[in-house]
Amino acid sequence: MIRREAINWLKEANYDLRRARRSLNDGDYALCVFMAQQAVEKAFKAIIIGIKHKPQPRTHDLTVLYNEVKDALPLPNEVADRLPTLSQYYVTSRYPNAGLEVPSESISRTQAEEALNVAEAIINHASKLLT
């Protein structure tokens, strides 16, 4: 049986995924990529808690988190290879001069769509594993 805490992390991942979709539709691409990053982070943490039976790690680095779960959640290379880019959005999509001078004006629709596609694929895999 999967711990309730893990299910709650997965629920929040799904809420963040919906926020990312709304942001894409609203043209708020910086928020979309950030919410996509958050969705993936929470899905990975759900697996760490629910499948690996470890405490939730205190990191936002998706590549570190994926290394913790990849034996339980193997992802296609085209998804796993995009994790470093998605991981960077945790900072670069929110703070001026943290890679982009004005993130809200610099992140494109294409970047947002790619981030959302990666997040959707990971949430789908994580949901199958945890439910």
Side-chain angles (χ1 to χ4, degrees):
M1 182 169 167
I2 302 296
R3 287 176 31 201
R4 171 180 238 149
E5 181 183 8
I7 298 303
N8 290 342
W9 278 91
L10 184 62
K11 282 182 182 179
E12 285 301 317
N14 277 290
Y15 282 120
D16 287 347
L17 186 61
R18 286 195 293 271
R19 290 179 186 111
R21 285 187 195 115
R22 282 195 309 265
S23 299
L24 178 67
N25 291 335
D26 291 345
D28 190 347
Y29 306 135
L31 184 58
C32 177
V33 298
F34 174 68
M35 296 314 302
Q37 184 279 336
Q38 286 289 281
V40 171
E41 179 180 330
K42 290 172 185 172
F44 286 163
K45 288 180 178 181
I47 293 166
I48 291 168
I49 293 164
I51 303 294
K52 306 298 268 181
H53 306 289
K54 294 182 178 180
Q56 172 236 234
R58 303 276 184 206
T59 184
H60 305 287
D61 186 331
L62 299 181
T63 57
V64 169
L65 293 170
Y66 182 58
N67 283 331
E68 287 285 323
V69 302
K70 67 181 171 185
D71 58 327
L73 184 76
L75 296 172
N77 287 340
E78 61 271 10
V79 174
D81 289 348
R82 291 189 172 133
L83 288 174
T85 300
L86 186 58
S87 190
Q88 292 175 35
Y89 291 138
Y90 178 75
V91 173
T92 60
S93 67
R94 299 183 301 143
Y95 301 111
N97 300 320
L100 299 170
E101 192 169 316
V102 183
S104 294
E105 296 174 359
S106 301
I107 295 172
S108 71
R109 181 176 184 87
T110 300
Q111 289 170 293
E113 288 171 342
E114 288 176 4
L116 186 57
N117 289 338
V118 169
E120 287 173 336
I122 291 169
I123 300 297
N124 284 337
H125 287 343
S127 294
K128 290 175 187 169
L129 188 60
L130 289 166
T131 54

